[in-house]
Amino acid sequence: MPLISRPLNALITTLALLLPVATHAADPRLCVFDLQGANGEMFNAAKDYALAMQGAGFSLTLKSYVDERVAVDDFRTGQCDAVLATAFRTRAFNPVTAATDSFGAALILRQGKVDHAAGHEVIRMASQIFNAPSAASYVVQGKYEMAGLIDVGAVYAVVRDKRMNTPEAMAGKKILAFDHDKAQAHLILKAGAQPVTADVTTFANKFNNGMADMAAAPAIAFKPLELLKGMGPQGAVCRFPYMIMSYQLIIDRTRFAPAFADTSRRYWFSHFDEVLARINKAEVALPANVWMDLSAENTPKYADFLRQTRVELTEQGVYNKQGLKLLKRIRCKLNAADQECTMPTEN
């Protein structure tokens, strides 16, 4: 018996040593932030994406998160190989591409009125540039790479008092600001208002419970967050885009094949119009009587306020100069007559 067991034990030991080598590595994990979890639109979009990427030879496993901070922290600590979250959070990994979500970075005025379609065209053109073979200086930041940009709509202010229709009227008001985004707090303080700190999981409840006079979100978030309840009978949705919000997919480049990121970016870009149609549908679905348009006098005033704030935040290192220079170039290509195109800032 001992003569038989010794070679058998040796064989088992040898197989145990070889087993990790013979086993395929686990598929990279993509962690997806969606306020509605695994039943949300963004997670469903991620499932379609994962299926398409599998067809292209890249397998992924998905994990849903309802808390964006946890999703990003898990990515930062290596528990996720990639993360799909708002640019407010992904700015830490790629501040260049996250510049798309800077105040007024996609804002185009024509004869004192907002050209909403042109704003989305700014994001489309930026995304197209990020897809170019020569775009490494934009999309690659150290070991991180932006592997997808999704336009999820213009961010509109929801106010409890429709008289909040000028930058001056914000003075003394309580305005919600994400606790992790220095830019929002800076803009609010610049207007003489008081920031009320929140995160994506708490800001709707704070607004709906009367703890703030103003919140801001894209139209696709209004229904799930029930923001119109907090608005009340004297409130309104201001049809002026503070920014165009994006989700960005960030990967740890060491965990993926070299061709993955380019294939991924092309996938999301190919669905740009499909997502934009959903955004437009969500905006149209809001009751017509909740919208408030700024006057021809106040619209340029707001635009200038955002531009000044954006420049200040760039000087403070909150916003990225390289990204904003690109976005200004795009804006001026679409609207060369704008006076900002003759200004030295953001060049």
Side-chain angles (χ1 to χ4, degrees):
M1 187 71 178
L3 294 175
I4 299 173
S5 63
R6 284 176 185 172
L8 182 60
N9 285 339
L11 177 62
I12 292 171
T13 301
T14 302
L15 288 174
L17 291 171
L18 292 174
L19 188 59
V21 177
T23 301
H24 292 290
D27 293 334
R29 174 179 286 186
L30 168 60
C31 294
V32 182
F33 164 64
D34 190 317
L35 275 173
Q36 296 178 292
N39 297 317
E41 281 198 35
M42 187 56 68
F43 193 77
N44 285 332
K47 288 193 288 187
D48 292 340
Y49 159 74
L51 189 62
M53 292 299 285
Q54 185 176 27
F58 305 103
S59 295
L60 290 165
T61 59
L62 304 182
K63 183 178 180 181
S64 68
Y65 289 76
V66 295
D67 189 324
E68 187 177 35
R69 178 188 58 81
V70 177
V72 171
D73 283 348
D74 279 1
F75 174 63
R76 183 180 288 108
T77 57
Q79 296 178 61
C80 306
D81 305 300
V83 65
L84 183 60
T86 68
F88 296 131
R89 292 279 189 184
T90 66
R91 186 186 297 153
F93 308 108
N94 192 319
V96 181
T97 61
T100 55
D101 289 40
S102 304
F103 290 126
L107 179 61
I108 289 184
L109 302 186
R110 299 188 195 279
Q111 298 179 339
K113 294 183 179 180
V114 176
D115 186 335
H116 293 273
H120 292 290
E121 189 61 23
V122 171
I123 304 302
R124 183 201 301 273
M125 291 176 69
S127 185
Q128 190 171 25
I129 290 169
F130 296 151
N131 278 350
S134 59
S137 65
Y138 295 124
V139 297
V140 177
Q141 301 292 311
K143 74 171 187 174
Y144 300 114
E145 184 165 358
M146 189 279 285
L149 187 155
I150 311 164
D151 177 337
V152 294
V155 172
Y156 299 112
V158 190
V159 296
R160 297 173 66 85
D161 184 345
K162 57 174 61 77
R163 290 175 296 181
M164 290 178 65
N165 58 1
T166 66
E168 295 83 2
M170 294 166 64
K173 302 294 184 181
K174 294 181 179 179
I175 301 176
L176 285 163
F178 289 156
D179 53 10
H180 59 275
D181 187 16
K182 294 179 181 179
Q184 294 179 37
H186 180 88
L187 180 141
I188 292 167
L189 290 170
K190 181 179 173 67
Q194 177 184 340
V196 176
T197 59
D199 60 29
V200 291
T201 61
T202 62
F203 88 100
N205 284 335
K206 288 191 174 185
F207 180 71
N208 291 342
N209 290 327
M211 298 173 65
D213 302 297
M214 172 179 155
I220 57 172
F222 279 40
K223 185 176 180 179
L225 296 177
E226 300 182 317
L227 285 177
L228 297 186
K229 287 184 178 180
M231 186 180 73
Q234 304 301 318
V237 179
C238 182
R239 203 191 323 253
F240 179 89
Y242 278 80
M243 66 181 70
I244 289 182
M245 185 174 170
S246 73
Y247 262 67
Q248 300 200 9
L249 195 158
I250 305 293
I251 67 169
D252 179 339
R253 301 175 69 226
T254 65
R255 311 283 183 90
F256 291 87
F260 177 89
D262 182 64
T263 305
S264 176
R265 282 191 296 271
R266 291 180 184 279
Y267 170 88
W268 290 112
F269 185 69
S270 72
H271 287 76
F272 191 97
D273 287 332
E274 178 186 332
V275 177
L276 187 57
R278 292 184 183 182
I279 293 165
N280 292 334
K281 183 178 179 180
E283 293 187 2
V284 171
L286 290 176
N289 64 340
V290 306
W291 289 103
M292 171 181 68
D293 290 302
L294 297 179
S295 68
E297 176 187 0
N298 286 328
T299 298
K301 189 183 295 185
Y302 253 115
D304 188 56
F305 178 68
L306 293 185
R307 184 187 61 78
Q308 290 178 20
T309 304
R310 190 172 66 244
V311 170
E312 291 170 2
L313 289 165
T314 306
E315 291 171 349
Q316 294 174 20
V318 177
Y319 286 161
N320 179 269
K321 291 182 179 180
Q322 183 185 7
L324 288 177
K325 180 179 180 179
L326 170 67
L327 291 163
K328 180 181 179 180
R329 196 165 74 231
I330 294 172
R331 290 195 305 274
C332 291
K333 183 175 182 179
L334 292 171
N335 189 26
D338 195 298
Q339 64 176 0
E340 77 156 335
C341 299
T342 62
M343 296 178 179
T345 53
E346 300 182 293
N347 289 335

